[in-house]
Amino acid sequence: MNHEKSFRLFSHIFALVLVAAIVSTTSGCSLLQKHPLSSTISTEMLSTNDLAKVANQAWVKKDYMASELYYTRLLARADVPQKTILPAIERLSVSSYKSGHYHEAQARLEEWRKLSPEALNSEVWQNCYFESLAAIKNFTKLRTHLANTMENGALPWNIRSQAGINLSSLDQNEESLAALERLYSIAPNDEDKKDLEHWFSAGMVSKSDQELQNDSKLISAGNNLKFPYELVLFELATRQSSTEEYWPMAWRTMSSVVHKGQLVDKPWFNKVISNLEAKYGIPRVGIALMLPISGRFQDYGWKIIRGAGAAQWELTKAGLDVDVQVINTEEPGWTKRVQDLPPWYTILGGPINVKAFKELEQSEAYKEKVSFSFLAKPGNLEEGKQAWRFFASPEDQIRASLNLTINDLGIHNFAILYPQEKFGRQMSKIFLDMATNRGAKVTGMESYPPSNFPKWSKIVGKLVKAPQKEASNAANGLGTDAPLAETDFDAVFIPDTWNQAKLLIPHFFFHEADTLIFLGPELWSQALNSARGTETQNLQLTVAPGAWWSGSKGAIDLKEVMDHEGLGTPDFWVALGYDFIKFSSRLGTFSSDWTPDEVNERIANAQQMEFSLAPITWDSNGKANQKLFLFRPEHNGKTKIDAYDVKNTLNRAKNRRARRIKAWEETQSNSHQ
């Protein structure tokens, strides 16, 4: 046998072995061809034209393993016609994919794309590339490809849309829903958005309750009315609607999604609501506000009522039947009126003073209702079990100040200067505990008689250790004009009223403690709302937490509502009433034997709303946390600040001190020349 015949025989044997290997390697792949591999023939004896015909026959028969082999051999020929190359690569790519040879499929698909960028327009190419990269678990490359395809405005929408859907399928987490949010935002027209809405809704129906709950954990007040998060809420509400007590809350959620959300096909989703209304009726929600509408605090009570009225009107326009009844806590026997409320009044808001809340506790009228106090603490009731809080606590106030000083400014040494009264002592203890729990130190603490002004300067001097500093200067031979050393703390907490604090703070400057940050309670920002003509020279480093900022988005929206209804200018108390009615209407109704777990579960969903006040969140145990804004005084009123503002002001104060010390040193140097 000559050399040429030996080579041909070897080639024929090699081809058979290769085919056998392909069959063995791919027998377990789900996407393998279902047709049996036909008998292959030696390709070495075939002309290029004949080999192309054989490959085509295998392709037509869907004998993908054979067509993969033949097209591989065909493309290896040097004389393959140019016009044949691209179709051959296309078929080889698909054949490799169908045969389960995903690494080879990836390489061939990328070769196809390189030869013809139009490949990206092909559903076949896109599907094979997605499945191949997924099969070989090259998810990094796959995510990049899908994201780029979705964003490529030159491609047909069906290609981009499928890429976005595929991208969302890779992970069941925040990235998955974020991909769909982006896809929806770039959809070319309303019809395409409708398709996405129907597709996603259909997918929601097939999810288990646990899967749906997991998705709901990714919803926040910032995205709850955006696609696709709004449809997660819609599906959750649809499932809850079959329970009588949940129906009002479910109806409220679904209606809010349709009327306020991004959904384009509103008639389609309204039909879902209408079908449920036909079955369960339009819900009725009763909310009772326990407020002073006469007596000392009546101005606050009436402001809350104005805000509540604005919210009630907004809900009525949206189709929700909300009854709001006000009970005057200044009238004798008011707790009996609470007990005699109609059965659909299952939620209570208020009171706003401690005395009235004690009366509510003693009457036990709260036991059959779900009560939210408008106080820093719900009396002697256990928060999250017996009653809930819809108001900032001392901890909320102090947390805002510590987040600024410790987290943002890197301050870890504090002092406390408090008035000798109950409020000052209580706030001081809370501040001390919270600061030390976060690794900070309280290096100085003093108290002062709130009405004995002449003693204040001496007490502040003692806190900043002015006598010791003066003695140290004297011991070193320095005159009385020598600068005093800086304090061993960088911020001081003063839990008193604003009128008292603004008189106390200048004493620190008298004792040359002029680079301190002064932290106060929410009382300061409340007083600053109406303050006029404030002398702010020594108050630039004053920081006060507060729940009301007229420049927030929620506050601006509330102002528009109030203006439209002719209800006047909103403030903290108006916003409190407005937010509470909006929030409580989302809770639905409760039976008289409600449980804390049931309430906390509903709160978890209801809190996903936009507040006109600083946002409030509740943990799984029903404990509230209000993320307060921070302010400093201005000549008229106050201005919102952040860490950047405080840091810049503090640096300027330190620079002024440094210049003062340098000037003194230069004076001393000149006097000795």
Side-chain angles (χ1 to χ4, degrees):
M1 184 180 296
N2 59 29
H3 177 75
E4 182 179 352
K5 289 182 178 179
S6 298
F7 176 80
R8 288 177 179 171
L9 178 60
F10 174 79
S11 297
H12 182 68
I13 294 172
F14 176 79
L16 293 174
V17 170
L18 178 61
V19 171
I22 290 173
V23 173
S24 173
T25 303
T26 62
S27 59
C29 298
S30 61
L31 290 174
L32 297 185
Q33 66 173 61
K34 296 181 180 179
H35 297 275
L37 178 66
S38 60
S39 300
T40 56
I41 59 176
S42 173
T43 59
E44 297 296 331
M45 302 296 294
L46 298 175
S47 67
T48 297
N49 187 48
D50 289 340
L51 180 54
K53 292 179 180 179
V54 171
N56 180 64
Q57 290 171 355
W59 171 262
V60 171
K61 292 179 180 179
K62 297 184 179 180
D63 192 349
Y64 294 117
M65 284 188 281
S67 67
E68 179 186 21
L69 173 64
Y70 293 141
Y71 280 118
T72 300
R73 296 287 180 81
L74 177 63
L75 289 169
R77 297 283 180 92
D79 61 341
V80 62
Q82 188 67 32
K83 65 179 182 179
T84 304
I85 294 177
L86 180 58
I89 289 178
E90 293 176 6
R91 291 183 174 185
L92 175 57
S93 301
V94 176
S95 296
S96 297
Y97 161 71
K98 293 285 189 179
S99 299
H101 302 149
Y102 301 115
H103 285 91
E104 179 67 17
Q106 176 196 347
R108 294 301 186 179
L109 287 163
E110 290 172 355
E111 188 177 354
W112 175 1
R113 181 180 61 193
K114 186 175 180 181
L115 279 175
S116 174
E118 290 295 315
L120 293 175
N121 292 327
S122 166
E123 291 184 6
V124 172
W125 187 94
Q126 292 284 356
N127 182 62
C128 291
Y129 197 63
F130 170 75
E131 296 288 353
S132 296
L133 288 179
I136 63 178
K137 302 187 185 310
N138 191 346
F139 294 112
T140 299
K141 189 168 190 175
L142 181 54
R143 286 188 184 90
T144 300
H145 164 71
L146 292 173
N148 290 340
T149 301
M150 182 178 73
E151 297 289 349
N152 190 342
L155 296 177
W157 176 245
N158 66 310
I159 297 295
R160 298 173 65 195
S161 176
Q162 190 60 51
I165 291 171
N166 288 342
L167 181 61
S168 73
S169 71
L170 296 181
D171 303 288
Q172 296 303 311
N173 55 24
E174 62 271 16
E175 292 181 4
S176 172
L177 296 184
L180 291 177
E181 180 184 0
R182 175 59 183 163
L183 179 64
Y184 189 84
S185 71
I186 61 176
N189 54 58
D190 285 352
E191 290 304 314
D192 294 322
K193 289 184 176 181
K194 286 181 182 179
D195 290 341
L196 287 173
E197 291 167 5
H198 295 168
W199 164 79
F200 189 77
S201 293
M204 285 288 98
V205 172
S206 63
K207 285 196 170 189
S208 67
D209 290 343
Q210 186 58 55
E211 289 174 323
L212 205 57
Q213 286 294 337
N214 291 341
D215 284 344
S216 71
K217 294 175 182 177
L218 305 176
I219 300 173
S220 68
N223 63 26
N224 64 326
L225 291 177
K226 294 180 179 179
F227 179 90
Y229 310 96
E230 57 189 351
L231 288 183
V232 175
L233 282 179
F234 194 91
E235 177 60 26
L236 271 173
T238 301
R239 297 188 188 189
Q240 292 171 343
S241 64
S242 60
T243 303
E244 180 180 355
E245 293 171 6
Y246 274 86
W247 168 231
M249 179 180 68
W251 185 94
R252 174 74 178 86
T253 298
M254 289 188 287
S255 297
S256 180
V257 165
V258 174
H259 292 294
K260 297 182 179 180
Q262 293 182 333
L263 296 177
V264 173
D265 199 354
K266 295 184 186 297
W268 194 86
F269 291 98
N270 272 328
K271 186 176 181 181
V272 176
I273 298 175
S274 296
N275 290 338
L276 291 172
E277 288 174 345
K279 190 174 182 180
Y280 304 116
I282 296 178
R284 187 179 191 183
V285 176
I287 303 165
L289 296 176
M290 303 170 292
L291 301 171
I293 55 176
S294 60
R296 178 183 171 191
F297 300 109
Q298 64 175 300
D299 287 348
Y300 304 130
W302 283 110
K303 286 184 176 183
I304 293 172
I305 292 170
R306 280 169 51 206
Q312 183 183 19
W313 178 240
E314 289 289 294
L315 295 169
T316 300
K317 288 192 296 184
L320 180 61
D321 185 7
V322 178
D323 288 347
V324 178
Q325 186 168 147
V326 178
I327 297 175
N328 187 2
T329 56
E330 295 298 302
E331 288 185 353
W334 69 270
T335 55
K336 180 68 165 55
R337 288 191 60 199
V338 174
Q339 294 170 331
D340 292 342
L341 285 167
W344 61 86
Y345 283 90
T346 61
I347 299 173
L348 304 177
I352 65 171
N353 63 73
V354 175
K355 176 179 174 293
F357 200 89
K358 285 183 178 178
E359 293 174 355
L360 180 68
E361 285 184 57
Q362 292 168 357
S363 72
E364 298 188 344
Y366 65 88
K367 285 192 172 182
E368 292 187 357
K369 313 291 183 183
V370 176
S371 302
F372 288 84
S373 76
F374 296 165
L375 294 167
K377 184 176 182 294
N380 295 314
L381 301 183
E382 186 175 356
E383 183 180 353
K385 288 190 175 180
Q386 295 175 295
W388 285 259
R389 179 165 51 86
F390 202 84
F391 208 82
S393 68
E395 289 80 6
D396 292 335
Q397 299 172 45
I398 293 169
R399 187 183 301 109
S401 296
L402 292 179
N403 285 344
L404 169 74
T405 49
I406 295 177
N407 296 358
D408 299 332
L409 302 178
I411 290 174
H412 291 86
N413 293 322
F414 296 86
I416 300 174
L417 180 62
Y418 65 94
Q420 295 165 357
E421 58 180 9
K422 183 179 179 181
F423 176 78
R425 287 189 291 269
Q426 289 177 337
M427 292 293 286
S428 295
K429 184 179 186 307
I430 296 171
F431 186 94
L432 176 64
D433 291 343
M434 292 182 69
T436 52
N437 286 340
R438 294 174 68 160
K441 295 180 180 178
V442 176
T443 61
M445 180 181 289
E446 295 292 338
S447 65
Y448 58 91
S451 301
N452 196 340
F453 305 132
K455 288 188 175 182
W456 288 6
S457 183
K458 186 176 180 180
I459 293 171
V460 171
K462 183 181 178 182
L463 179 66
V464 301
K465 299 181 176 64
Q468 295 95 314
K469 295 173 184 177
E470 291 167 353
S472 176
N473 282 353
N476 290 318
L478 302 177
T480 57
D481 64 337
L484 300 182
E486 290 195 83
T487 60
D488 59 356
F489 53 86
D490 301 301
V492 57
F493 179 57
I494 306 175
D496 204 343
T497 66
W498 173 244
N499 285 335
Q500 296 278 85
K502 69 181 180 180
L503 298 176
L504 262 173
I505 291 171
H507 291 290
F508 286 87
F509 288 81
F510 175 78
H511 293 292
E512 298 183 23
D514 51 3
T515 58
L516 296 174
I517 296 174
F518 300 98
L519 307 172
E522 190 174 11
L523 289 173
W524 291 9
S525 68
Q526 290 174 355
L528 287 170
N529 287 331
S530 57
R532 296 296 179 267
T534 303
E535 177 53 60
T536 62
Q537 181 178 349
N538 294 331
L539 303 175
Q540 290 299 299
L541 284 171
T542 301
V543 177
W548 169 251
W549 174 40
S550 59
S552 72
K553 184 181 182 305
I556 292 171
D557 291 345
L558 172 58
K559 185 178 184 303
E560 291 179 357
V561 171
M562 300 292 286
D563 287 345
H564 186 265
E565 302 301 330
L567 294 173
T569 303
D571 63 5
F572 167 81
W573 297 103
V574 173
L576 176 63
Y578 182 77
D579 283 352
F580 180 70
I581 296 301
K582 282 179 57 183
F583 167 79
S584 55
S585 70
R586 299 167 64 91
L587 294 173
T589 58
F590 294 90
S591 63
S592 59
D593 60 346
W594 55 265
T595 65
D597 287 343
E598 177 188 2
V599 177
N600 292 332
E601 182 182 335
R602 296 203 203 176
I603 286 175
N605 292 324
Q607 67 185 331
Q608 306 297 335
M609 59 171 269
E610 182 175 74
F611 289 83
S612 59
L613 291 172
I616 308 176
T617 56
W618 288 261
D619 63 19
S620 58
N621 296 317
K623 301 292 178 62
N625 177 354
Q626 190 166 26
K627 189 176 182 181
L628 300 173
F629 305 113
L630 294 174
F631 303 93
R632 72 178 171 205
E634 287 197 331
H635 183 66
N636 291 318
K638 64 185 181 183
T639 185
K640 182 177 174 293
I641 56 174
D642 56 22
Y644 178 80
D645 300 319
V646 178
K647 189 176 296 183
N648 285 342
T649 306
L650 182 59
N651 287 338
R652 288 195 296 270
K654 290 182 176 180
N655 289 337
R656 282 195 300 270
R657 177 182 176 83
R659 289 195 299 270
R660 179 165 56 82
I661 293 174
K662 183 179 180 181
W664 178 84
E665 291 172 343
E666 290 175 350
T667 301
Q668 294 298 303
S669 177
N670 293 335
S671 67
H672 289 90
Q673 289 181 358

